[in-house]
Amino acid sequence: FERTFIAIKPDGVQRGLIAEIISRFERKGYKLVAIKLVIPTNDFAQKHYHDLKERPFFSGLCDFLSSGPVLAMVWEGEGVIKYGRKLIGATDPQKSEPGTIRGDLAVVVGRNIIHGSDGPETAEEEISLWFSPNELI
Ligand code: ATP
Ligand code: MG
């Protein structure tokens, strides 16, 4: 089965949305295979978002990701990379459909509470950036 990297960003953790978000993935039928709470360094956040380093919001984004605890997870199941993104909703919560995590729980793009890998290569890259093999079930 395929695996994806999902992270609840500092705003989602701070707002007490961990249980709500995990519950949506569990109820769908996906399997949690790794989980930990971490405060990433700014350098680590820059590695995670390296694809976006030319964007004007990059430094603010990395400052934000490293501003507090992040709940890092790996979820497994058929189609989990693509369907996980569907559960999450569009990047900008103003454009996310109701029923999605961002659509139901977030308002602005800079505080969109959750991250999900956008494809098989980034999923593999992000899982190995955030977790060592012995942390995966
Ligand atoms: P993520 O990678 O966090 O799952 P995404 O794949 O939906 O989100 P990306 O294009 O990868 O969107 O952008 C990464 C993150 O950068 C977004 O989740 C958002 O927090 C932030 N971001 C994207 N666009 C903007 C913007 N225009 N202004 C501020 N922040 C932005
Ligand atoms: Mg992305």
Side-chain angles (χ1 to χ4, degrees), residues 10-11 39-40 62-69:
D11 53 336
I39 304 177
C62 295
D63 288 348
F64 177 61
L65 194 72
S66 58
S67 69

Side-chain angles (χ1 to χ4, degrees), residues 11 21 47 79 95-96:
D11 53 336
I21 291 169
K47 274 187 195 131
K95 294 176 185 145
S96 315

Side-chain angles (χ1 to χ4, degrees), residues 20-69:
E20 164 78 34
I21 291 169
I22 286 180
S23 162
R24 292 183 183 215
F25 279 83
E26 281 187 320
R27 281 149 62 209
K28 173 66 182 170
Y30 291 128
K31 182 184 166 197
L32 184 61
V33 295
I35 185 166
K36 65 180 171 187
L37 199 56
V38 289
I39 304 177
T41 63
N42 198 281
D43 193 62
F44 188 92
Q46 290 181 38
K47 274 187 195 131
H48 172 75
Y49 278 129
H50 68 89
D51 281 348
L52 300 172
K53 64 173 172 285
E54 308 304 331
R55 310 295 288 276
F57 54 82
F58 179 71
S59 80
L61 178 61
C62 295
D63 288 348
F64 177 61
L65 194 72
S66 58
S67 69

